[in-house]
């Protein structure tokens, strides 16, 4: 009798546990469906540019699923547009934490930090994204621009060097590096960049004139003459 009673107890316990697991699974499924519904509705109003309704729906989506990284991202974007930067940064951070492989989450965070004039923080976000994610090398240009704005010239030069390693010699990059070297009074470096440009594009007279103007602006007229003579020839 005790054996039969023990079997019944174990069977009842197993059935109760199974029902509990099913109920839990059902509740979780319902929460996911609710989160998806509210998020989809939020996107609709976002497209219609009704940001207040979109924000309310994205927040409802998070109530159903706090780990909805896409909802955090959209909320961060809306708060950024509204200038509510602390909340925008909070949600951007949560989006990245939940999905660290989505470049748009990093870009939103970088935009928020830029709005807060935290250019050092924005630069770090770009660096992290570029190092972590494939296909984000084109944002090296944005990173270089931030360094220039901060007057972090050495870091800007390093970034332009990375751009050249990735994309080859680009006239706009060479020109940017020349401006930096001239600002640092590193005339030899500026001249070397100009000569690289002339060697790479021998048919472009503008590059010869640009280098000659650098010589002339520094009182080195005689050194400009050979370049201008070669251009005339």
């Amino acid at each position: 009798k005790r054996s039969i009673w023990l079997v019944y107890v174990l069977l009842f316990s197993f059935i109760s546990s199974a029902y509990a697991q099913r109920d839990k699974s059902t509740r979780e499924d319902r929460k996911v469906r609710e989160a998806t519904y509210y998020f989809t509705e939020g996107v609709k109003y976002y497209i219609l540019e009704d940001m207040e309704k979109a924000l309310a729906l994205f927040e409802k989506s998070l109530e159903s699923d706090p780990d909805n990284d896409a909802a955090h991202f959209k909320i961060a974007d809306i708060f950024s547009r509204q200038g509510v930067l602390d909340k925008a940064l909070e949600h951007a951070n949560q989006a990245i934490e939940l999905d660290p492989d989505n470049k748009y989450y990093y870009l939103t965070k970088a935009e928020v930090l830029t709005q807060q004039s935290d250019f050092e923080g924005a630069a770090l976000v770009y660096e992290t994204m570029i190092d972590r994610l494939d296909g984000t090398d084109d944002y090296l240009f944005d990173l270089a621009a931030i360094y220039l704005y901060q007057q972090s010239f050495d870091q800007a030069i390093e970034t332009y060097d990375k751009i050249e390693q990735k994309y080859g010699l680009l006239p706009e990059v060479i020109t940017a590096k020349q401006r930096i070297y001239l600002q640092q009074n590193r005339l030899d470096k500026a001249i070397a960049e100009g000569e690289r440009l002339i060697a790479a594009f021998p048919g472009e007279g503008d590059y010869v004139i640009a280098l000659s103007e650098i010589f002339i602006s520094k009182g080195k007229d005689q050194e400009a003459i050979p370049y201008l003579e070669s251009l005339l020839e």
Side-chain angles (χ1 to χ4, degrees):
K1 291 181 179 179
R2 289 185 61 186
S3 298
I4 294 173
W5 178 81
L6 183 59
V7 169
Y8 278 125
V9 170
L10 292 173
L11 182 61
F12 177 78
S13 176
F14 174 78
I15 294 171
S16 298
S17 176
Y19 272 108
Q21 289 292 331
R22 190 178 69 179
D23 289 345
K24 182 181 178 182
S25 178
T26 301
R27 287 196 302 272
E28 289 175 353
D29 289 344
R30 185 172 67 251
K31 287 291 186 181
V32 170
R33 288 196 299 271
E34 287 176 356
T36 302
Y37 169 76
Y38 288 127
F39 181 80
T40 303
E41 287 295 297
V43 170
K44 181 175 72 176
Y45 284 104
Y46 181 90
I47 293 171
L48 295 172
E49 298 188 357
D50 189 337
M51 296 303 166
E52 292 301 325
K53 284 186 179 179
L55 178 60
L57 287 161
F58 290 139
E59 288 176 335
K60 287 282 288 182
S61 180
L62 281 185
E63 289 176 14
S64 298
D65 180 12
D67 292 336
N68 186 340
D69 54 280
H72 281 295
F73 162 64
K74 299 306 289 185
I75 290 172
D77 179 65
I78 292 173
F79 277 138
S80 175
R81 291 166 179 253
Q82 295 176 339
V84 188
L85 301 181
D86 288 343
K87 288 187 176 181
L89 184 58
E90 176 186 339
H91 284 281
N93 281 329
Q94 290 185 59
I96 291 172
E97 184 177 343
L98 290 164
D99 182 4
D101 294 324
N102 190 314
K103 74 174 184 179
Y104 296 105
Y105 299 173
Y106 291 95
L107 295 175
T108 297
K109 181 178 179 178
E111 172 62 25
V112 172
L113 290 169
T114 300
Q115 287 179 269
Q116 292 180 321
S117 298
D118 184 358
F119 300 105
E120 186 176 346
L124 181 59
V125 172
Y126 277 115
E127 289 173 358
T128 302
M129 179 187 72
I130 292 166
D131 288 342
R132 181 182 179 89
L133 304 181
D134 293 335
T136 57
D137 293 310
D138 49 332
Y139 292 100
L140 285 166
F141 292 93
D142 299 90
L143 179 58
I146 290 176
Y147 284 139
L148 283 177
Y149 189 83
Q150 295 181 91
Q151 296 189 340
S152 300
F153 297 127
D154 289 341
Q155 288 171 298
I157 289 291
E158 288 178 11
T159 305
Y160 283 129
D161 287 342
K162 289 179 181 178
I163 291 173
E164 283 194 36
Q165 291 169 12
K166 179 66 180 179
Y167 299 104
L169 192 149
L170 301 174
E172 60 268 31
V173 170
I174 294 293
T175 302
K177 289 170 71 175
Q178 279 184 306
R179 284 197 293 266
I180 293 171
Y181 286 136
L182 289 172
Q183 195 156 350
Q184 293 179 317
N185 292 316
R186 299 168 70 181
L187 182 60
D188 56 334
K189 289 283 189 179
I191 291 170
E193 292 296 331
E195 289 174 340
R196 285 180 64 211
L197 202 53
I198 292 170
F201 303 97
E204 294 290 340
D206 288 345
Y207 300 150
V208 177
I209 293 171
L211 181 57
S212 300
E213 287 175 345
I214 289 175
F215 282 120
I216 294 168
S217 69
K218 297 298 181 179
K220 297 179 178 292
D221 298 21
Q222 291 301 315
E223 294 184 41
I225 290 174
Y227 291 95
L228 293 173
E229 286 178 342
S230 67
L231 179 61
L232 288 173
E233 290 173 2

